[in-house]
Amino acid sequence: ISMTASSPMLIFDAVIEWRENRRALKVEFPWQLACPTATYENQFGAVQRPTHTNTSWDWAKFEVCAHRFADLSEPDYGVALLNDCK
């Protein structure tokens, strides 16, 4: 984990020897944001999903495909998770 004085980015650099078959590695970054939607990049462009869980259908939308970025933005503040690998 690193951060430079001139950049607003916090960089996580991880090298993992993954030997599991048909298993996914997940990570969670909890934020206190009040944005109603999150934007995720996928193979067809970008998709916006709600960040609330009013119904079981909404809960099912929390696990989404995100290739290169996931973005949670408010009018004056936002957080984006960027990925540069497969």
Side-chain angles (χ1 to χ4, degrees), residues 26-56:
K26 297 181 182 182
V27 65
E28 180 179 343
F29 298 98
W31 297 99
Q32 295 297 321
L33 296 172
C35 54
T37 60
T39 305
Y40 304 94
E41 192 253 356
N42 61 28
Q43 67 270 29
F44 302 112
V47 62
Q48 285 190 328
R49 299 290 175 110
T51 57
H52 55 79
T53 58
N54 290 339
T55 66
S56 62

Side-chain angles (χ1 to χ4, degrees), residues 12-24:
F12 293 84
D13 190 15
V15 177
I16 300 168
E17 291 185 26
W18 192 253
R19 294 193 174 115
E20 295 292 324
N21 195 7
R22 300 178 191 256
R23 301 271 188 232

